[in-house]
Amino acid sequence: MYRHVACNYTFGGVAYGDDAMAGLAPRSLGSVMGSEQVAVVTGASRGIGKGIALELGAAGFTVYVTGRTVDAGMIPGTVGETAAQIDELGGHGIAIACDHHDDAQVKAVFERVEKEHGRLDVLVNNVYSAPDLVPWLGKKFWELPIEAWDQVIDIGTRSHYVSSVFGAPLMLANRSGLIVNVSSSGAVSYGHNVVYGVGKAAVDKMTADMAIELDGTGVSVVSLWPGLVRTELLDLGAQTEGDDIFIELPGEGRFDLSGAESPRFLGRAVVALYGCADIAERSGKPFSSTALARELGFTDLDGTIHEVLLRPEA
C-alpha cells in the first residue's frame, strides 16, 4: 500500500492538495516541475481526452493531441480545436492527425516528440472508439458482431500498449515520467457488455504489469477510472423531463447528467497525480477520479466533487 503524501501546489491557477482544502497557500508550480513539460494525450479531439489535454495546457505543458477528427462533424470537436484551446489556456497545443489502428502513424507521433523536444513527461492513453460502442450497449455477447471484440480491444487496449511502447523510452531516457491509462470501473464490475469489461480489465492488468517492469526507473503508470462524464457524445444522447436532464443506458438505468463530471475534472486528476511526491508508490494501481479529488484536494470547474458513479459497487 502507498502512504499518503500531501501534494500542495498550483497549476494554471488551480490549487491542489491538503493545504488547498484547508485554505492555506499552496507551493508554487516551479517547485514541482521544471520550465518545460511535454505531454501526449491520445484521442483528444473531444471528450475525456480533450478535457485532460486542456488541463495539462492550463498547467503550462506543451501538449501533443492525437485523433482522427480534423474536420468538424456531427459530434463536436477536432484535434485542431483542442490544440487552439490549449494555447488559449496558456499551454502550447500541437495537433496531430493519427489513426491509432496504424502503428506506423503512432510511432511517427513519438518520433516527432523526440525530435522537437527530446523528452516526454506525461503520456495519457485515452483513445477509444466510443461512438462505435453505442449500438452495442446492453447487448449479450452472442448478439454482438465479432468485430465488436476487435474494435474494443484494438482501440482502447492494444492502442494503449502501442503508445506506451513508443513513449516509454523517451521517459526512461530522463528517468522520469507518468503514464496514465484511462480505464473504467468496468474492469472489476459488469458494465455495458462483455467486450467492454474484458477490454478495461486488460488495461488495468497491463497497468499493474507495466509498473513491475518500470519499478526503479523513475517512470510510473496508473489507471484512471472516470465517473459519469458529460462528454459531447453523452450530450447528444441526453433526454429531458421537466427540469431534469439525464441519459439512459440499456440495462443500466437512468443517470442524472446535472451531477456528471466535466471532462476537465479528469484532467485535474492527471495534473494532481503528476505533482504527487508518492506517485512511485501509486504505480500499478487504478484510481477513481472522485476518490482522487477527495484525497488530493481538487474540484471540478464548478467547485464541486461530483458523485454520479456508473457502478457504485466497484
Side-chain angles (χ1 to χ4, degrees), residues 7-304:
C7 308
N8 302 306
Y9 49 91
T10 56
F11 284 143
V14 178
Y16 296 84
D18 298 336
D19 289 354
M21 296 182 79
L24 304 175
R27 71 183 187 269
S28 68
L29 180 151
S31 66
V32 179
M33 305 193 308
S35 58
E36 180 191 44
Q37 302 294 312
V38 180
V40 171
V41 182
T42 69
S45 300
R46 60 183 69 87
I48 291 172
K50 178 177 181 178
I52 293 173
L54 293 182
E55 283 297 320
L56 286 166
F61 277 74
T62 290
V63 188
Y64 289 80
V65 294
T66 73
R68 292 181 297 177
T69 307
V70 295
D71 298 314
M74 182 183 71
I75 306 174
T78 68
V79 286
E81 290 170 359
T82 299
Q85 290 177 39
I86 289 169
D87 291 345
E88 292 170 4
L89 290 168
H92 180 204
I94 300 173
I96 302 181
C98 178
D99 183 346
H100 282 266
H101 282 103
D102 187 336
D103 294 348
Q105 290 187 37
V106 179
K107 182 179 181 182
V109 170
F110 293 93
E111 288 176 340
R112 179 173 172 182
V113 173
E114 181 176 25
K115 179 180 179 181
E116 295 179 352
H117 292 279
R119 64 180 297 127
L120 178 62
D121 300 285
V122 175
L123 167 61
V124 180
N125 289 313
N126 167 77
V127 65
Y128 194 76
S129 192
D132 293 316
L133 181 67
V134 172
W136 303 331
L137 294 176
K139 300 288 187 182
K140 308 302 184 192
F141 70 87
W142 60 87
E143 298 171 336
L144 291 173
I146 297 299
E147 58 263 28
W149 174 278
D150 299 325
Q151 186 69 3
V152 171
I153 301 302
D154 281 359
I155 300 299
T157 305
R158 186 181 185 278
S159 60
H160 289 15
Y161 178 80
V162 172
S163 291
S164 298
V165 166
F166 294 132
L170 293 177
M171 296 178 171
L172 292 169
N174 291 303
R175 297 193 61 79
S176 176
L178 174 64
I179 300 171
V180 178
N181 292 321
V182 177
S183 183
S184 165
S185 58
V188 297
S189 180
Y190 182 82
H192 302 327
N193 54 45
V194 168
V195 293
Y196 178 85
V198 170
K200 296 306 183 182
V203 168
D204 283 3
K205 175 60 173 169
M206 180 170 64
T207 295
D209 288 357
M210 283 180 171
I212 292 172
E213 296 187 357
L214 289 169
D215 186 41
T217 67
V219 180
S220 300
V221 54
V222 298
S223 285
L224 179 61
W225 292 359
L228 181 67
V229 183
R230 191 164 178 176
T231 63
E232 299 88 346
L233 181 62
L234 222 59
D235 273 338
L236 286 176
Q239 303 177 54
T240 57
E241 192 173 276
D243 294 332
D244 296 332
I245 181 166
F246 58 91
I247 187 85
E248 286 192 352
L249 299 178
E252 298 181 63
R254 175 186 291 196
F255 298 90
D256 179 11
L257 286 184
S258 66
E261 301 170 4
S262 78
R264 288 182 64 173
F265 185 61
L266 281 301
R268 292 183 173 187
V270 171
V271 172
L273 280 168
Y274 184 68
C276 275
D278 67 343
I279 188 60
E281 294 177 53
R282 297 173 184 268
S283 192
K285 301 176 179 67
F287 297 91
S288 75
S289 52
T290 52
L292 286 172
R294 288 193 297 267
E295 180 191 354
L296 302 182
F298 62 90
T299 66
D300 211 331
L301 298 176
D302 61 2
T304 66

